[in-house]
Amino acid sequence: MTVVTHSTRPRRAAYVPSADLVKDVLAGRAIAIARMISRAEEGYPEAAAALAELYRHGGKAHVIGITGVPGAGKSTLVSALIKAYAAEGRKVGVIAVDPSSPYSGGAILGDRVRMSETAAAGGAFVRSMATRGHLGGLTRATLQAVDVLDAAGYDPVIIETVGVGQDEVEVVTAAHTVVVLSAPGLGDDIQAIKAGILEIADIHAVSKCDKPEAAATVSALRGMLALGGERPGSRRAPPVLPVSAVSGERIGELKDAIGAHWAHLNESGERVERQRAMGRTRILGTARHLFQQKFQEAPETLERQIRAVAERRMDPAVAARALLGWEETP
Amino acid sequence: MRDANLAGESLSTGPAEAPDTIRVLVAKLGLDGHDRGAKVVARILRDAGMEVVYTGLYKTPKDVVQAAIQEDVDVIGVSLLSGSHVPLFRELGRCLREEGAGHILVVAGGVIPEQDYPALLEGGVDAIVPQEARSDLIVTTITDLVTARGRI
Ligand code: B12
Ligand SMILES: Nc1nc2c(ncn2[C@@H]2O[C@H](COP(=O)(O)OP(=O)(O)O)[C@@H](O)[C@H]2O)c(=O)[nH]1
Ligand SMILES: [Mg+2]
C-alpha cells in the first residue's frame, strides 16, 4: 500500500486579526503584506477596516499597467523593468494576474518563473493572482492589493494582466500609465486591435526587438496610430517603443517614457482625471461585485427567478429588477 | 462556491478549518533538471481547485522561502529527484524558521529513499509523498495538512 509519511509534530498557526497586521504592512514586513493581500482577495469582511486604513496611507505609488496577449513577453518585460528601477534604488511591487481554470477554479500561476531572479536581487515584491472568475471581484481584489503594496512603500506598482477579458482590461485601465505590449510573429500584425485594446495605451511597446520581425510590427503599429488611436481623454499621442527584455535593449527608454508619462500626468493635471477614473472603476466594480454577492446569498430566490424565466413565465428584465428589489415579485 | 465564501458567511474561524482557496508553491531546489513531475503535480493540484505558483528550476532554498512568503502560500511542495534532498530540505527548514514563516507547510516528493525520511522530517518536512502515490493521495495529503493547521 502507498502511504504518506508524516511528521509527528503537527503544525498549528493562529489567525492574526487584520487590525494587527496594519502596522507591520506600513513597516514593510513581507509576511504581513502578503497576508493582507490574501485577505483582500478572499474578501474577508474582517479585513475591511484594515484595508480602509491602508487605503488612506496609499496614493504615493505610480501605478503602471502592462497588458498584451499571452506570450507577448509581459512577465519578461516586468522582470527587466524591476532591474532597471532597482538600479535607481526603487523597489517595485508587482501584481501578476493569470486566469483561473473555469472547470476546477484552480490556477497555475507561472509569471513568477520569469521574474524570480531580478525580484530577489532588486528587492521587489511579486505577487501572483488568479482571476477567480467573479464579476467585478478581480478589479476589487487587484486594486486593493495595489493599495497594500503602495501603503508598504513600493513604488512603482506594476499590474500585469492578459489583454483579453473584460475584467482584465478594466483592471489595467485603472492604472496611471498603461503600456500595451505587442509581440512580433504572433500570427497577426497588431494584436492590440484584435483584442480591442489599442485605445487604452498611454505607451505602445513592441517586444522581442532582438528579432528581425519586430520592425514590421513597429511600423504597422505606427501606421495604425497615424489614423488615430489615442486614449480618449488623453492629450498625448502614445509613443511606440521597440524593446528587448532578453538583451535589455531600450528598456531604459521604456522606463524613461513611463516616467515622462507620469510627469505629464502630474504637470497637466491629468493625474486628477485619472484618479477620478480609477475611483469610478473601483466603486462600480465593487458595486457590481456586491450585487453578485447579494444574489448568491439568497440562492432560492435566484433559483425561482431562473425557473420562471426559463419557463417564460417572467421576462429576464423583470426578474433582474425583482432581484435588486426594484419591483414587486409577481 | 467561491462567491458564497466571498459573501463572508464562512468566516467561522475554527482552528481546524482550511482557507477558502489553498495556495501551493511548487518548487524545484538545487541542480535538478527533472521538471516533469513538478509540472504533473502542479496540474493535479490545479485540477483539485488549488492555486499553484510555479517557481521554475534551479532555485535556492532562500529564493523559495522568499517566494513562498510573498505569495502567501499554505504549502511549499518540493519535487526533488537529484539525490541532494537531505541538505536542501534542511536548509529550506532553516530559512523558513529564520524568516518567521513556520506557518508554511512543507511537502516533499520525487525520488527519495526511505532511509532518508527521518533526516527530512527532522529538518522540518511535514509529509513525504512516495513516488508511486496517485493524484488523489497527493491532493488529500495537502488538503488534510492545511485543514489541520487551520486558517491563518
Ligand atoms: C525522465 C528522466 C530524466 C529526464 C528528465 C526530463 C525532464 N525534463 O524532467 C532526463 C533525460 C533529462 C534526465 C536526466 C538526468 N537524470 Co534522470 N530520470 C528520469 C526518470 C527516468 C523519470 C523521471 C520522470 O520524469 N518521471 C515522471 C514523473 C511524472 O514522475 P515523478 O517525477 O516521480 O513525479 C511523480 C511523483 O514522484 C510525485 N511527485 C514528484 N514530485 C513531487 C512533489 C510533491 C510536493 C508531491 C506531493 C509529489 C511529487 O508526483 C509525480 C506524479 O505522479 C527517472 C527514473 C525514475 N524512476 O524516476 C530518472 C532519474 C530521476 N534520473 C537520474 C539521473 C541520475 C539523471 C542524470 C544525472 C543522468 C546523467 N548522468 O546525465 C540527469 C540529470 C539531469 C539534471 N539536470 O538534473 C536518477 C536520479 C538518481 C538519484 N536521485 O539518486 C534517476 C532516479 C534514474 C536512476 N534510477 O538512476 N532524467
Ligand atoms: N527573443 C525574445 N524573446 C522574448 C523576449 N521577451 C520575452 N520573450 C520570450 O517570449 C515568451 C513569453 O514570455 P512571457 O514573458 O512569459 O510572456 P507573457 O505571457 O506576456 O507574460 C518566453 O519564451 C520569453 O522567453 C524578448 O525580448 N526577446
Ligand atoms: Mg506572464
Side-chain angles (χ1 to χ4, degrees), chain A residues 2-7 9 11-15 30-31 34-35 38-39 41-46 100-101 104-109 112-113 116-117 120 124-128 130 132 134 140 289 293 296-297, chain B residues 2-3 6-8 11 20-21 23 42-43 46-47 49-56 59 66-67 69-72 99-100 102-105 117 121 124-128 130 132-133 137 141 148-149 151-152:
Chain A
T2 318
V3 288
V4 172
T5 309
H6 282 269
S7 161
R9 289 162 303 188
R11 290 216 207 184
R12 294 254 175 258
Y15 185 92
I31 292 182
R35 189 65 43 76
S38 300
R39 290 185 186 173
E41 253 191 307
E42 297 281 4
Y44 289 172
E46 183 269 343
S100 299
S101 153
S104 71
I108 294 180
L109 309 168
R112 197 173 187 104
V113 175
S116 56
E117 265 146 63
F125 195 109
V126 177
R127 179 59 175 257
S128 312
R132 297 197 177 181
H134 35 59
R140 179 192 58 75
H289 184 60
Q293 265 185 344
Q296 243 120 23
E297 273 167 13
Chain B
R2 213 190 290 283
D3 279 319
L6 272 156
L11 196 75
D20 296 335
T21 307
R23 285 172 65 90
R43 202 155 320 142
R46 179 202 59 188
D47 291 345
M50 300 182 198
E51 288 180 358
V52 183
V53 182
Y54 181 54
T55 63
K59 296 293 174 270
Q66 198 206 6
I69 288 174
Q70 293 189 349
E71 298 289 355
D72 196 32
E99 296 293 330
H103 56 280
I104 302 176
L105 297 148
Y117 285 9
L121 298 173
V125 171
D126 293 280
I128 304 161
E132 63 279 7
L137 184 58
T141 300
R149 184 208 58 186
R151 197 196 287 260
I152 47 167

Side-chain angles (χ1 to χ4, degrees), chain B residues 24-28 31-41 44-45 57-58 75-85 107-113 127-135 137-139 141-142:
Chain B
V24 181
L25 188 82
V26 170
K28 293 287 308 175
L31 294 174
D32 179 5
H34 297 93
D35 62 356
R36 269 191 219 163
K39 286 178 172 163
V40 170
V41 170
I44 290 170
L45 300 179
L57 293 165
Y58 314 125
V75 177
I76 302 176
V78 182
S79 176
L80 261 179
L81 292 83
S82 69
S84 310
H85 41 272
V107 178
V111 177
I112 298 168
I128 304 161
V129 178
Q131 202 172 9
E132 63 279 7
R134 290 175 29 160
S135 53
L137 184 58
I138 292 176
V139 171
T141 300
I142 289 180

Side-chain angles (χ1 to χ4, degrees), chain A residues 230-308:
Chain A
E230 269 115 85
R231 184 169 167 156
S234 174
R235 291 182 285 277
R236 200 165 172 274
V240 180
L241 296 173
V243 294
S244 171
V246 166
S247 70
E249 208 180 322
R250 307 186 72 172
I251 294 296
E253 275 170 60
L254 176 61
K255 186 190 62 122
D256 292 345
I258 292 170
H261 182 258
W262 183 231
H264 160 78
L265 287 184
N266 284 302
E267 285 152 18
S268 67
E270 248 185 77
R271 180 173 171 186
V272 181
E273 289 164 40
R274 284 285 158 104
Q275 226 102 267
R276 284 180 57 89
M278 227 187 260
R280 163 186 279 270
T281 302
R282 296 190 66 167
I283 294 171
L284 296 182
T286 308
R288 200 145 40 91
H289 184 60
L290 290 173
F291 279 139
Q292 190 82 359
Q293 265 185 344
K294 191 169 135 75
F295 301 159
Q296 243 120 23
E297 273 167 13
E300 331 73 47
T301 316
L302 178 60
E303 210 38 62
R304 213 171 332 111
Q305 313 279 25
I306 291 172
R307 221 173 312 119

Side-chain angles (χ1 to χ4, degrees), chain A residues 19-42:
Chain A
D20 298 354
L21 291 177
V22 171
K23 171 172 56 61
D24 284 349
V25 169
L26 295 173
R29 299 215 171 83
I31 292 182
I33 295 168
R35 189 65 43 76
M36 218 45 238
I37 292 175
S38 300
R39 290 185 186 173
E41 253 191 307
E42 297 281 4

